[in-house]
Amino acid sequence: QQSSSATANLAPEAIEKGKQNFVTYACYACHGYGGQGSDVGPRIDTTRLTLQGFVNIVRKPARRMPPFRTERQISNAALAEIYAFLKSLPSPPDPKTIPLLNAN
């Protein structure tokens, strides 16, 4: 069993707060409203990171993302809610199941 720091609280309240935080902290501006990515930020709705890995990247990003290094900028609780929101999003469909993409 993973510790609570490594897993998301997928309670509806946490997911809804995460969706609100995603907008409040302007994550959508680079990653899209559904975390689908854009020409500015990568797709994050399908992240395989643990919660702790997600927090680590937000605190010390490797790329162009501005760092949110401290709890004053964004709390770990808010990050956990954002993570729960991202984990609650449905996976994109398999391209093989989309008729238009498979027409010969």
Side-chain angles (χ1 to χ4, degrees):
Q1 182 179 2
Q2 292 182 320
S3 71
S4 61
S5 65
T7 58
N9 171 7
L10 295 179
E13 303 81 29
I15 292 168
E16 186 56 36
K17 284 190 79 173
K19 184 177 181 180
Q20 292 169 5
N21 288 336
F22 199 75
V23 173
T24 299
Y25 292 100
C27 306
Y28 73 90
C30 296
H31 299 288
Y33 279 99
Q36 74 278 12
S38 72
D39 59 341
V40 180
R43 173 174 224 140
I44 58 173
D45 64 336
T46 56
T47 186
R48 292 189 176 138
L49 293 171
T50 64
L51 172 56
Q52 189 57 56
F54 177 74
V55 170
N56 291 345
I57 285 180
V58 172
R59 298 281 184 226
K60 294 181 183 178
R63 298 190 181 142
R64 300 185 307 179
M65 184 174 141
F68 293 85
R69 296 190 200 279
T70 68
E71 284 262 343
R72 289 179 120 185
Q73 291 172 297
I74 185 169
S75 70
N76 283 342
L79 288 174
E81 291 161 351
I82 290 170
Y83 183 82
F85 164 63
L86 293 172
K87 291 308 237 179
S88 76
L89 297 171
S91 297
D94 182 337
K96 293 175 187 165
T97 65
I98 301 172
L100 185 61
L101 297 178
N102 295 293
N104 291 328

